[in-house]
Amino acid sequence: MDNPIIPASELIINSDGSIYHLHLKPEHLASLVFTVGDPDRVAMVSRYFDRVEIKMQKREFVTHTGWLNGQRVTVMSTGMGTDNIEILMTELDALVNVDLETRQIKKDKSSLKIIRLGTSGSMQEDIPVGSFLGSAFGVGLDTLMEFYPSLEGDTSLAQAVKSELGLTFSPYQAAASSELLNQLDERFLKGNTLTCPGFYAPQGREVRLKPKFEQMIERLAGIEIGGKRLTNFEMETAGYYALGELLGHQMLSLNAIVANRPLKTFDEKAEKTVDSLIRAALECFVAKN
């Protein structure tokens, strides 16, 4: 089958041979990648590495690659929102599945393990601040996947959200890697995450502008389909899961619950909670010798 050359306008390579936005070369990337939204959190993860061999930064994308317990690991920041995740996932995939010199797709594909370490707000009263939650499904309220091939699999939660809010577009739904999800221990709750295209009105917050949807949190929290309910809000998970499904990578989103929206509480020790999430994730996914 023909394997065309990807034009320079479609996959931009920097003059040093690194990929455009991430400023990385294939050798800079480990097969296990932890991601964080905030660039300042990269060092919060890599300080637990035994050693760091690579530090790169371009725009909001900060990358540290090093070693922990004899395993090579990468941690990188993404910024917020599924628009950034689209850039991240496309370029990470290109680093392992495109020959950047010939600009051709490799015959043998590689699958990365990509684990998001993020913060989130609970939409259920019984999920308190300070909890850790692994997302079994992500439901996207953004329109990113209108531009990509259709996803396969269960869409029941997404369709219920569309019906409840009367949306004029179709939310999308994608699943975590069952292999990664099953590696979580008893410290983690399991839930289903609603990914929103903003932090304020799209998550039912009101400052000066009143959200369009009345009682949004209560309405969404009340959805239950086949024993599954929506548990938390954030801004990236569904984009990760959807693009991971299409590109063939193993994805998992881990959430430090720092707000409980129905109870209107916020974690006063949020940074400590995030640090505890980081340590728990490293213990689950980077085995000790």
Side-chain angles (χ1 to χ4, degrees):
M1 183 178 291
D2 187 33
N3 188 3
I5 295 172
I6 302 171
S9 61
E10 310 307 290
L11 181 64
I12 302 170
I13 306 299
N14 298 315
S15 59
D16 65 354
S18 63
I19 204 157
Y20 186 51
H21 295 92
L22 304 185
H23 204 65
L24 297 176
K25 299 178 182 179
E27 60 267 26
H28 296 154
L29 186 68
S31 60
L32 174 61
V33 181
F34 291 96
T35 63
V36 294
D38 185 349
D40 289 340
R41 287 196 180 132
V42 173
M44 289 179 64
V45 179
S46 67
R47 67 182 174 181
Y48 293 112
F49 292 2
D50 296 325
R51 63 184 174 93
V52 176
E53 64 179 22
I54 294 165
K55 291 185 177 182
M56 303 294 292
Q57 178 173 2
K58 188 175 183 183
R59 306 185 190 192
E60 61 267 56
F61 300 106
V62 176
T63 303
H64 292 179
T65 295
W67 294 84
L68 177 61
N69 299 332
Q71 183 172 347
R72 196 164 186 252
V73 183
T74 292
V75 57
M76 60 193 310
S77 59
T78 67
M80 294 186 291
T82 58
D83 51 348
N84 273 21
I85 300 310
E86 192 246 10
I87 292 171
L88 175 89
M89 290 294 297
T90 301
E91 296 194 3
L92 286 181
D93 180 74
L95 286 170
V96 297
N97 289 320
V98 176
D99 186 318
L100 300 188
E101 293 185 0
T102 67
R103 295 181 167 277
Q104 292 178 298
I105 297 172
K106 296 178 181 178
K107 179 181 178 181
D108 297 322
K109 305 299 188 297
S110 297
S111 179
L112 297 168
K113 293 181 179 179
I114 302 173
I115 300 169
R116 170 188 175 271
L117 306 174
T119 56
S120 184
S122 169
M123 67 172 73
Q124 301 288 349
E125 289 188 7
D126 61 350
I127 300 177
V129 297
S131 301
F132 302 157
L133 185 144
S135 304
F137 287 92
V139 175
L141 281 181
D142 60 291
T143 57
L144 174 63
M145 297 313 295
E146 294 294 313
F147 299 89
Y148 283 98
S150 298
L151 300 167
E152 299 180 357
D154 182 15
T155 62
S156 58
L157 282 172
Q159 291 304 311
V161 170
K162 179 179 181 178
S163 177
E164 176 61 42
L165 298 182
L167 300 175
T168 56
F169 65 94
S170 293
Y172 59 95
Q173 180 175 333
S177 159
S178 58
E179 177 185 329
L180 295 181
L181 191 65
N182 289 336
Q183 286 184 240
L184 297 177
D185 60 24
E186 68 282 352
R187 290 174 287 186
F188 290 84
L189 304 171
K190 306 285 178 64
N192 302 295
T193 298
L194 188 68
T195 294
C196 302
F199 185 78
Y200 290 98
Q203 297 185 35
R205 288 184 171 93
E206 180 178 350
V207 181
R208 287 187 60 221
L209 295 177
K210 186 176 181 62
K212 176 180 178 179
F213 300 110
E214 297 283 351
Q215 296 183 309
M216 179 179 176
I217 297 172
E218 293 84 355
R219 291 163 66 186
L220 295 176
I223 292 173
E224 184 171 338
I225 305 292
K228 297 191 294 292
R229 62 176 183 164
L230 295 168
T231 52
N232 59 306
F233 291 106
E234 50 73 81
M235 295 175 62
E236 291 93 31
T237 295
Y240 273 118
Y241 285 9
L243 291 171
E245 176 183 322
L246 294 176
L247 291 168
H249 301 294
Q250 297 186 61
M251 313 301 303
L252 182 63
S253 176
L254 304 180
N255 304 271
I257 302 299
V258 297
N260 184 291
R261 300 296 304 288
L263 298 179
K264 295 181 170 51
T265 56
F266 187 81
D267 188 354
E268 295 181 355
K269 300 178 180 179
E271 285 302 307
K272 183 177 179 181
T273 299
V274 170
D275 181 63
S276 296
L277 174 73
I278 291 167
R279 288 187 284 111
L282 293 175
E283 289 168 8
C284 285
F285 295 101
V286 187
K288 294 182 179 179
N289 293 329

